[in-house]
Amino acid sequence: MRLNALAATASLTVLALAAGPASAQPMNDAGSPWRGLYLNLGGHVGEMFGGNKLSFEDLTSGHDLSFTTDNPGSSTVLGGAELGQWWPMGGAVIGLESDVSFAKNIKYLSSLRGELGVPAGSFLFYGTGGLGIEIADESFSVTSTTGEVDTFTGAEKKYGWVAGGGVQAMIAPRLSLGIEGLYYGLGHDSSALQTVQGAEPFNVVADRNFAVVRVRLDFHFSNFW
């Protein structure tokens, strides 16, 4: 259901991008709408695909352990806000943006990214990349044939990279609507653990690489730099 809702939102965004430039007007003395400070107006909303997946390796001789987790790596809805700045340079623009997002099992997902865009009238096509940071809740249980159930919970903070791109359009003076995709490379790691009472060994493998597709609505200030 969330995937269908996201697809519908993306379709409406594309239609708005196509219709918006006809009514948009330049918002600064340089005549370019892609200049200056911008701040979210309503933030961004989207879908995370495959985030924070935990998997299990039973290292016992009988392979008699079972594993359940609240982090299966399925898709989840996320939302947040962004703040950034564009500087025109010849026929292109460069930018710097910071954002923060929240979702189920995610306390904090943020990035600090550089941006390089190519304006086309009221449209802007851009690529972006930089530092990604996440604090994610992790929870899982391991059950043995003796009836022992061990539950492990905690929060992990990870640093990595993020890269992607998108398209935005001015749909009204100082107001832009866009859609973008980002990929977060926060790494893989494996933890060697054992059950508390029986000392039966197992590994838990965390995959913290995932993709995000989101729709954003930003307000642009005309009197900053």
Side-chain angles (χ1 to χ4, degrees):
M1 293 296 293
R2 289 197 304 267
L3 292 177
N4 291 337
L6 181 62
T9 302
S11 298
L12 290 173
T13 302
V14 171
L15 291 174
L17 292 178
S23 60
Q25 298 294 325
M27 65 174 190
N28 56 52
D29 293 339
S32 171
W34 308 109
R35 182 188 185 100
L37 185 73
Y38 59 87
L39 176 69
N40 75 282
L41 184 68
H44 60 253
V45 63
E47 189 96 1
M48 170 190 284
F49 301 95
N52 304 305
K53 180 180 180 181
L54 297 182
S55 57
F56 174 73
E57 297 176 348
D58 186 351
L59 302 181
T60 64
S61 58
H63 296 287
D64 57 354
L65 301 178
S66 59
F67 177 77
T68 57
T69 180
D70 292 334
N71 303 83
S74 56
S75 63
T76 185
V77 173
L78 84 168
E82 62 274 348
L83 172 68
Q85 169 82 27
W86 287 112
W87 293 274
M89 291 190 66
V93 292
I94 61 171
L96 183 66
E97 179 176 293
S98 179
D99 64 359
V100 61
S101 301
F102 306 93
K104 181 182 178 181
N105 295 330
I106 296 178
K107 291 184 175 181
Y108 184 85
L109 176 65
S110 182
S111 68
L112 178 63
R113 295 173 282 105
E115 300 173 299
L116 177 62
V118 178
S122 294
F123 285 97
L124 179 69
F125 300 88
Y126 63 94
T128 182
L131 173 68
I133 307 169
E134 180 192 42
I135 301 177
D137 290 322
E138 294 183 354
S139 176
F140 61 90
S141 296
V142 175
T143 304
S144 69
T145 55
T146 63
E148 178 185 354
V149 179
D150 296 322
T151 299
F152 301 78
T153 59
E156 292 288 334
K157 185 175 185 178
K158 293 295 177 181
Y159 296 87
W161 57 269
V162 56
V167 57
Q168 296 186 44
M170 286 290 167
I171 58 172
R174 303 191 184 186
L175 191 64
S176 68
L177 179 67
I179 184 168
E180 65 186 1
L182 298 171
Y183 185 84
Y184 290 79
L186 302 179
H188 296 76
D189 57 70
S190 178
S191 299
L193 303 170
Q194 61 184 20
T195 59
V196 176
Q197 297 179 10
E200 297 179 278
F202 61 91
N203 287 339
V204 172
V205 180
D207 182 353
R208 298 185 176 89
N209 300 321
F210 52 87
V212 170
V213 177
R214 65 191 192 186
V215 175
R216 54 187 292 165
L217 184 67
D218 297 322
F219 181 82
H220 298 251
F221 297 87
S222 62
N223 57 341
F224 282 80
W225 298 287

